[in-house]
Amino acid sequence: MTIAPSELQTELAAIVGAEHVLVEPDVIAGFCTDWTGRFVGHSPAVVRPGSTAQVAAIVAWCRRAGVALVVQGGNTGLSGGAVPLRDEVVCSLRRLTTIGEVDRTSGQVTAGAGVTIADLQGRAASAGWAYGVDFASRDSATVGGSIATNAGGLRVLRYGDTRAQVVGIEAVLGTGDVVSHLSGLTKDNTGYHLPSLLCGSEGTLGVITAARLRLVPEESERVVALLAFDDVAAALVAVGSLRSGLPSLSAAELFFDEGVALVCRVFGLRAPFSEPHRAYVLVEATGASDPSDALSSAVDSLRGVTDAAVATDAVRAAQLWRYREAHTEAIATVGTPHKLDVTLPPGALADFVAAVPAVVEGACPGAQTWLFGHAGDGNVHVNVTGASAEDDRIDESVLRLAAGMGGSISAEHGIGVAKARWLSLCRSPAEIAAFRSIKRALDPDGVLNPSVLFPPEDEAIS
Ligand SMILES: Cc1cc2nc3c(=O)[nH]c(=O)nc-3n(C[C@H](O)[C@H](O)[C@H](O)COP(=O)(O)OP(=O)(O)OC[C@H]3O[C@@H](n4cnc5c(N)ncnc54)[C@H](O)[C@@H]3O)c2cc1C
């Protein structure tokens, strides 16, 4: 960037007001470090637009001035894509917090990019609806960030990922043009579906400013069970049986003995059972009527369940969920983790789980592997602590293992900067060339998230 910092500040302040251009290093430090602490960048300024028009003016000015932007929502992303690793200006969307009224007929709502997932869920609930996407960072993660990463989370097997919820979008493209299609028509075959394109684009094509989102019926009855297994393969077979035999299944989460022990130690929780077990599956069933009987008869038919705890009230359900949801925070207390979020074909998941620790040990002796995930979608989070942030031998080994077993190197966190080098493990040269063509068309000067998704040519693995 050749522009002087004072000029940059003046130009941005002219668009958003001086109070919304942050430059003090201690004030902007939190915007420059990712949630894990693995990716730490530097920025001359954080600009906080309050409207779509201001976002458009920022992008247009950045194009003219040759200034790169990193787009940021709640900064809970786990692939390093929201922090300025090459001195970009941070464009924070957190001021765009308007939520419209829920359309009770269509079951849709329009929300600003800076609305948190928790606030969106609250607005939906107040109208008797629910938002189908949920995950542990709901209090900070935003609508814009969750669309940009196509977030998955806990209920994908029931409602699909974020892409399945987005029926319309408003965004400022890298050209500076505003595209806005928020009418929310369920059937609308009028050309390319820009919401699908922007969903999962990780801020590389446009800055999402608002979205029209589909809601799902609120299901008032809920039962949660924690099932213990001494064999991982048996746990995964059980998940398959539950998926086919329990229509009210809304979540099936997998975790292991070392993760539960860590969560209990860090948060002072009692162990779920008197004896530890190798694998745990947390199962949730929801419906308009009580799904308890259906869940217990489905569980009775499973093989390999060595212990079980069932919660029919909200307090006990939250206690059981905590064993799973607290994994990410508990692991962060051990050290800065390498976070590798992969999907495997269902038939390969147990072999992958068995193989990963040795692969990590081979790449970085002494490093510790933590596994947990969304078993219903074949998604395992491989977290590794005890390795330096720069050491990417672990990333290389684990991502190659997943891809070699027919999996994907990113299930739901996106490629970001963390996995850009390995994009070619899952995408062909023709696909990456098509991605680049789209990028050039919508962001011709490479203003938006220039380090995200695409590897620098000389760093890409072959
Ligand atoms: C404890 C914890 C649990 C988590 N659990 C899950 C989980 O179960 N499933 C899951 O999928 N993720 C999970 N995540 C990851 C993260 O919360 C999600 O990826 C979330 O969608 C990121 O939202 P954000 O607003 O924080 O985005 P950010 O972190 O700010 O940004 C993420 C990416 O989106 C881009 N971006 C942000 N806002 C916009 C915008 N308005 N327009 C264009 N691009 C934008 C950024 O440039 C960046 O590339 C978890 C994270 C934590 C810390």
Side-chain angles (χ1 to χ4, degrees), residues 76-336:
T76 67
L78 298 175
S79 298
V83 288
L85 298 179
R86 296 191 181 173
D87 289 347
E88 299 94 337
V89 167
V90 176
C91 182
S92 168
L93 278 297
R94 281 187 228 172
R95 286 180 63 215
L96 301 188
T97 54
T98 304
I99 318 185
E101 289 303 315
V102 171
D103 181 330
R104 290 167 194 255
T105 313
S106 65
Q108 294 180 0
V109 66
T110 299
V115 171
T116 66
I117 299 302
D119 284 346
L120 173 63
Q121 290 169 340
R123 173 56 62 96
S126 70
W129 290 84
Y131 184 53
V133 172
D134 188 27
F135 44 89
S137 52
R138 60 184 76 80
D139 290 326
S140 304
T142 62
V143 163
S146 66
I147 294 172
T149 56
N150 186 27
L154 307 168
R155 305 224 159 68
V156 170
L157 62 83
R158 182 68 165 269
Y159 301 118
D161 55 17
T162 297
R163 186 175 279 124
Q165 323 305 322
V166 182
V167 289
I169 211 153
E170 179 178 89
V172 177
L173 303 177
T175 55
D177 295 325
V178 177
V179 289
S180 184
H181 201 75
L182 297 170
S183 61
L185 295 173
T186 307
K187 289 186 146 184
D188 187 6
N189 276 350
T190 49
Y192 300 134
H193 195 241
L194 292 178
S196 298
L197 181 61
L198 288 168
C199 207
S201 64
E202 300 189 60
T204 59
L205 303 178
V207 183
I208 296 154
T209 52
R212 183 77 175 168
L213 298 162
R214 159 188 171 246
L215 304 176
V216 298
E218 190 174 43
E219 299 193 305
S220 53
E221 301 295 325
R222 181 164 81 127
V223 57
V224 175
L226 182 61
L227 311 179
F229 297 82
D230 287 332
D231 177 61
V232 176
L236 293 169
V237 170
V239 170
S241 305
L242 290 167
R243 289 195 68 190
S244 61
L246 184 64
S248 54
L249 184 70
S250 56
E253 297 289 306
L254 177 71
F255 42 98
F256 299 96
D257 41 2
E258 52 277 324
V260 169
L262 178 71
V263 165
C264 290
R265 195 165 67 243
V266 170
F267 295 108
L269 307 183
R270 284 181 53 182
F273 302 110
S274 53
E275 297 291 329
H277 298 273
R278 174 63 192 123
Y280 299 89
V281 176
L282 186 136
V283 180
E284 182 182 84
T286 50
S289 57
D290 185 0
S292 301
D293 290 346
L295 177 64
S296 58
S297 72
V299 169
D300 285 346
S301 68
L302 300 176
R303 294 199 179 161
V305 180
T306 48
D307 216 334
V310 179
T312 49
D313 65 273
V315 173
R316 182 68 182 133
Q319 286 170 348
L320 293 183
W321 263 111
R322 191 142 167 73
Y323 293 116
R324 162 64 183 88
E325 286 212 290
H327 268 65
T328 307
E329 284 175 76
I331 292 163
T333 67
V334 180
T336 302

